[in-house]
Amino acid sequence: MAAPDLDTLVALAKRRGFVFGSSEIYGGFASTWDYGPLGAELIRNVKEAWWRRVVMAREDVVGLNASILMHPRVWEASGHVENFNDPLVECPECRRRFRQDDVPDGTCPHDGATLTDPRRFNTMFSTQVGPVQESAATAYLRPETAQAIFVNFKNVLDSTRVRLPFGIAQIGKAFRNEITTGNFIFRSREFEQMELEYFVEPGQDAAAYQAWIDERLAWWQEFGLDSSRLRLRPHGDDELSHYSKGTTDIEYEFPFGWGELEGIANRTDFDLARHAEASGETLTVFDEASKSHIRPYVVEPASGVDRAALAFLADAYTEQDVRGEKRVFLNLDPRLAPIKAAIFPLARNKPDLVKLARDVRARLAASWPVFYDAGGSIGRRYARQDEAGTPFGITVDYESLDDHAVTVRHRDTMDQDRVAVDDLHGFVAERLAW
Ligand code: ATP
């Protein structure tokens, strides 16, 4: 199945309530997006899938949920104040700004004018903290969640029983004043990251780096991305970040071309060393075996929730010809699907049947997001749920009153099963097991 074009996806996302432009009634706000009812569930599930695999399933990883605002010195020590720059070029005619790497020939894509020499543009958002303008401290909205993990390294060490190798994971918002945004939710100024810092003894870092590349690639595949649209791209020496000894991106072939989903970096002990020096704290681990303090190296798999949502949507989008009619459905992994089951009473005016359908809804709603839809022909009701990616369509019909069973229609195959109402919860649970 060929990838849908981006416009098709954007239209579906808006029509069905996955993603809206932010502040739309005021004309929208540059490159910021809101997740609607279906999108909110989708990204909740993406984060759940990540957390379960990276934190819950493992004995060696713990979670963290830190503030977005942090002490300004964090960003000096981390190198972000000095190094978190994109080279910016400007068109003297139309005043448009570009990232230098987006316009390698140095001419404006709009009017062909020669662009200015590049200057460094720090992409951290700054803000004032405190009520009095003059004395207020300049703080930054975090451009990555990772630094909060390094800053809490000692707290986690002192409050838990972690031993090397161990990881600290976090999901949260990050902000970057990107010079050029675009491609829908692929690149925006406010986004959400899922990051793990995995601390190892120096010398074990190369093996951990490779292990996390393999593990993370497997996760993307397990949750449905087509292997032919996934690839690994190791960074060349010239593009490594200021902290990195090695970085490999997991890239996905989006409707607009290949783009980064996740970066796995060997950050060495750069961050802990910088924070130890700047704060005066000892950010080391005591090693019983060698009776010495060691400063761990760290391997970081860092991915984006929004890019994940876009990739899963793009990959799931399917058009099918059914007896001359186009059917559109999202074959999302059921665990990622926003709504797990839709309940369709076949008649609205038969109280017994409506009561049974409501009962079926309530039984499932205690565990999952489900949707009760009594409106329109059954075909139209199926079609609406297909576009939402709902894996199970459950019809309560006249016969249900006699046999206390319902018809379950499967989204991808349109096959149907007759399932006893009392077995329904188990039937759905089995297919949604993490
Ligand atoms: P890019 O090269 O695309 O700007 P990056 O290498 O700067 O990305 P990282 O710093 O490695 O990105 O951040 C980790 C992850 O955070 C990325 O893989 C991506 O999924 C996500 N991410 C980064 N910047 C953005 C953004 N502006 N909008 C949405 N997601 C982002």
Side-chain angles (χ1 to χ4, degrees), residues 136-344:
T138 297
Y140 300 100
L141 301 186
R142 65 183 181 197
E144 60 173 35
T145 61
Q147 293 307 319
I149 296 178
F150 299 124
V151 168
N152 278 293
F153 176 78
K154 192 170 166 4
N155 286 335
V156 172
L157 211 56
D158 292 349
S159 60
T160 65
R161 297 177 51 77
V162 291
R163 296 278 178 276
L164 287 179
F166 72 91
I168 307 176
Q170 173 165 231
I171 299 177
K173 289 268 184 166
F175 303 81
R176 296 181 190 177
N177 195 4
E178 301 275 7
I179 298 167
T180 44
T181 53
N183 288 330
F184 197 32
I185 52 176
F186 179 81
R187 187 182 300 287
S188 46
R189 297 197 169 97
E190 172 178 344
F191 54 98
E192 207 164 7
Q193 291 187 311
M194 306 183 280
E195 295 198 293
L196 166 71
E197 304 303 323
Y198 192 75
F199 299 97
V200 298
E201 271 180 48
Q204 307 291 316
D205 50 308
Y209 174 61
Q210 190 54 50
W212 278 108
I213 293 171
D214 298 344
E215 160 64 13
R216 294 300 307 143
L217 182 62
W219 182 89
W220 291 103
Q221 288 166 335
E222 183 193 322
F223 283 92
L225 297 189
D226 187 333
S227 295
S228 70
R229 295 204 189 105
L230 282 167
R231 72 178 184 197
L232 295 175
R233 194 183 68 81
H235 282 207
D237 287 345
D238 54 334
E239 55 172 333
L240 286 179
S241 316
H242 61 277
Y243 50 73
S244 180
K245 178 173 156 187
T247 298
T248 295
D249 288 345
I250 298 178
E251 294 190 335
Y252 177 74
E253 192 176 16
F254 287 95
F256 45 83
W258 290 94
E260 174 184 334
L261 276 179
E262 171 157 5
I264 296 108
N266 182 344
R267 291 177 83 125
T268 69
D269 64 351
F270 175 87
D271 303 271
L272 288 181
R274 291 286 290 251
H275 287 302
E277 192 189 336
S279 68
E281 288 284 347
T282 318
L283 302 179
T284 54
V285 178
F286 185 69
D287 179 44
E288 288 293 345
S290 63
K291 300 273 180 252
S292 62
H293 291 273
I294 46 182
R295 182 156 50 231
Y297 268 30
V298 70
V299 171
E300 174 195 80
S303 56
V305 175
D306 313 85
R307 289 187 190 179
L310 183 58
F312 287 126
L313 281 176
D315 218 280
Y317 183 90
T318 314
E319 286 181 7
Q320 213 175 41
D321 182 79
V322 182
R323 290 182 296 275
E325 298 243 342
K326 186 170 85 170
R327 176 169 100 95
V328 173
F329 65 102
L330 300 180
N331 66 4
L332 287 167
D333 184 300
R335 295 167 295 181
L336 298 182
I339 297 170
K340 306 305 183 190
I343 296 94
F344 308 128

